[in-house]
Amino acid sequence: MPENTLAASRLGLDDARRRRSITWVVALSTLALVFDGYDLVVYGTVVPTLLADPNQLGRLSPSQAGALGSYALVGVLIGALTAGAVGDWIGRRRVMLVGLAWFSIGMGATALTTSVQTFGFFRLLTGIGVGALVATVGALVAEFAPAGRRNVLNAVVYSGVPAGGVLAAVVALVMPDAAGWRPLFWIGAAPIVLLLPVALVRLPESPKWLVARGRFEQAQAQSRRTGIPLPTLSAPLPTTLSTTAPAGARHVGFGALARSPLAWPTLLLGTMSFGGLLLTYGLNTWLPKIMQDNGFGKSYSMTFLLVLNLGAIVGGLLASRVADRVGAKSVVASTFVLAALTLALLPFRLPAAALLLAVAVAGVGTIGTQVLIYGLVSNYYPTRARAAGVAWCAGFGRLGGIVGPVIGGALVGAGVGGTTAFYVFAVVSLLGALVTWLLPQSRHEEAAAAATVPAAEAASTVAV
């Protein structure tokens, strides 16, 4: 067989392996985040029941319910920061597998609770697994996605969060009232039997992460197995990390985030995520209750929750395509502004069709914006700090997720929840847009640098 034919055959085989690897990474990551989104919204669907019936867990006030909803987010903060601390050292695959098992066990345990205290404890425990997943999948997908499709594939994966919200809303709508709230949490434990076994077999480790850790032989083997190309070098891969790499490039994980040139962007990206998750969790937790207080029945208020998350999925995917063309920064700033405008409209007595449309667009500007932020963050950092960067934004951002439900609970408890909460969320959106515009352009140009690095600089390139 001619040499050029053999080369073409090998290239075609590599392309097929790469597509298959990317498909498995994206599919498994998306399904993992579907259950994150399910966990996010399922609590909001049971809040009215827990408030109305003290026989479930005990007597709850609206402010207590808001605080209880935040326990899972404290766990997410712990899980995300822990995953970020170890993810750039032990790898993306291990953290993701542990997160799936941990999350599932927490959801099953929550279904068995009989008191407010144990419910809150297991919500916190569940959140640790959720945090590990959210902080890991962005780094994993960014290292498998081809250049020019990173925002789209990140949007597909993180759209799993609102998709899980849709699933929770649909299940809550069709679940018979007699079944109670516990089956909703048993459904959330399904990943340990449905998803974890598949991930054990099909989820690969990132070849780029292996290179960044100096495990070059394993990286080459994994590259051949997955079809994911390594940085193009004009010299053989070294056997050890270079000691002549720039000082900043020798720092890994959170150590790199605390130093120039990443420190200031990391602060801004964390603040953006804080705002995005404040909006996401605040609306998902309290939108059904606010709409019920405004005269809408249970089914109608759950429909608003469904429309909010559907709007986030569709709008987030469309916006991500624009982000791959013009850059994620300007798109994120625009969707923050869009959220402010629509949230300011929600307190008005709009016709039903217009109100549903406004809720859908608000979903694009709130939950959809957070999807775009994860894509921006995942592609902003170099490999050596990517897991830590995503973890920081997911973890610090969840502080906003803690604040959102608490604000909603305080306002609902004061009897001014509907109008005032929407205006507060609109102001947060405008501040998010302002912070986004302050973000400097990323200095990380991984694809371009890998394609042009000279032989003399090969060692320092693979070290980053």
Side-chain angles (χ1 to χ4, degrees):
M1 185 180 292
E3 186 175 335
N4 59 347
T5 303
L6 285 172
S9 177
R10 285 195 296 269
L11 182 60
L13 183 60
D14 285 343
D15 286 342
R17 288 172 176 166
R18 181 166 59 251
R19 287 194 297 270
R20 184 167 59 250
S21 298
I22 292 171
T23 298
W24 275 113
V25 167
V26 170
L28 291 170
S29 298
T30 303
L31 289 172
L33 291 192
V34 164
F35 285 94
D36 173 21
Y38 183 91
D39 175 73
L40 158 66
V41 173
V42 75
Y43 177 70
T45 68
V46 304
V47 163
T49 299
L50 298 179
L51 287 171
D53 186 0
N55 292 323
Q56 299 299 320
L57 296 174
R59 189 171 299 280
L60 276 179
S61 68
S63 60
Q64 289 174 322
L68 197 62
S70 298
Y71 289 171
L73 305 183
V74 175
V76 171
L77 173 63
I78 296 170
L81 295 180
T82 302
V86 302
D88 286 318
W89 294 94
I90 69 172
R92 294 38 168 134
R93 184 177 186 273
R94 291 178 183 175
V95 175
M96 188 167 170
L97 294 176
V98 171
L100 281 170
W102 192 301
F103 166 85
S104 301
I105 293 169
M107 287 293 279
T110 303
L112 298 173
T113 57
T114 56
S115 69
V116 172
Q117 291 76 18
T118 54
F119 184 91
F121 172 77
F122 284 114
R123 289 291 291 158
L124 185 147
L125 186 72
T126 303
I128 293 175
V130 172
L133 291 173
V134 173
T136 303
V137 296
L140 187 66
V141 171
E143 289 164 14
F144 276 85
R149 297 191 64 205
R150 289 176 178 171
N151 281 293
V152 168
L153 292 181
N154 263 284
V156 169
V157 169
Y158 280 101
S159 289
V161 176
V166 170
L167 176 63
V170 169
V171 171
L173 281 171
V174 302
M175 184 73 70
D177 291 339
W181 58 271
R182 298 181 191 277
L184 296 174
F185 284 87
W186 280 119
I187 292 172
I192 201 166
V193 294
L194 298 180
L195 192 56
L196 182 60
V198 180
L200 282 167
V201 176
R202 294 294 185 179
L203 185 68
E205 183 55 90
S206 163
K208 292 182 180 179
W209 174 78
L210 291 169
V211 168
R213 297 305 304 144
R215 295 159 61 175
F216 305 112
E217 290 184 2
Q218 294 177 43
Q220 288 175 318
Q222 189 75 326
S223 178
R224 289 191 295 269
R225 187 178 303 116
T226 62
I228 302 299
L230 297 178
T232 302
L233 303 173
S234 53
L237 286 171
T239 57
T240 59
L241 285 173
S242 170
T243 58
T244 60
R250 291 199 297 268
H251 295 291
V252 176
F254 286 117
L257 302 188
R259 293 169 172 83
S260 179
L262 296 178
W264 172 242
T266 294
L267 177 62
L268 294 176
L269 288 166
T271 304
M272 290 161 56
S273 188
F274 180 97
L277 285 167
L278 186 154
L279 299 171
T280 296
Y281 278 82
L283 284 174
N284 271 300
T285 299
W286 288 108
L287 186 62
K289 176 64 176 174
I290 291 173
M291 290 307 186
Q292 283 189 40
D293 290 346
N294 286 349
F296 295 95
K298 176 183 177 181
S299 296
Y300 217 129
S301 64
M302 290 297 178
T303 300
F304 285 119
L305 199 60
L306 183 64
V307 169
L308 181 80
N309 284 277
L310 282 174
I313 294 171
V314 176
L317 290 173
L318 292 175
S320 68
R321 292 186 176 275
V322 179
D324 272 329
R325 294 187 178 93
V326 305
K329 173 183 170 179
S330 58
V331 177
V332 169
S334 300
T335 53
F336 263 132
V337 172
L338 186 66
L341 295 175
T342 51
L343 288 169
L345 289 175
L346 289 182
F348 292 96
R349 293 288 181 177
L350 300 174
L355 185 58
L356 287 171
L357 177 61
V359 169
V361 176
V364 179
T366 54
I367 307 170
T369 294
Q370 186 59 32
V371 168
L372 294 169
I373 289 172
Y374 280 131
L376 173 59
V377 170
S378 299
N379 296 308
Y380 197 92
Y381 291 99
T383 303
R384 61 190 167 86
R386 183 170 287 122
V390 176
W392 155 255
C393 291
F396 183 77
R398 295 296 163 132
L399 293 176
I402 294 169
V403 170
V406 171
I407 289 175
L411 294 174
V412 169
V416 295
T419 299
T420 307
F422 287 138
Y423 287 148
V424 169
F425 293 151
V427 171
V428 171
S429 300
L430 288 177
L431 293 175
L434 176 62
V435 172
T436 304
W437 280 116
L438 294 175
L439 182 70
Q441 287 297 117
S442 173
R443 297 183 185 181
H444 174 58
E445 299 290 346
E446 186 174 53
T452 59
V453 61
E457 297 176 7
S460 62
T461 299
V462 296
V464 299

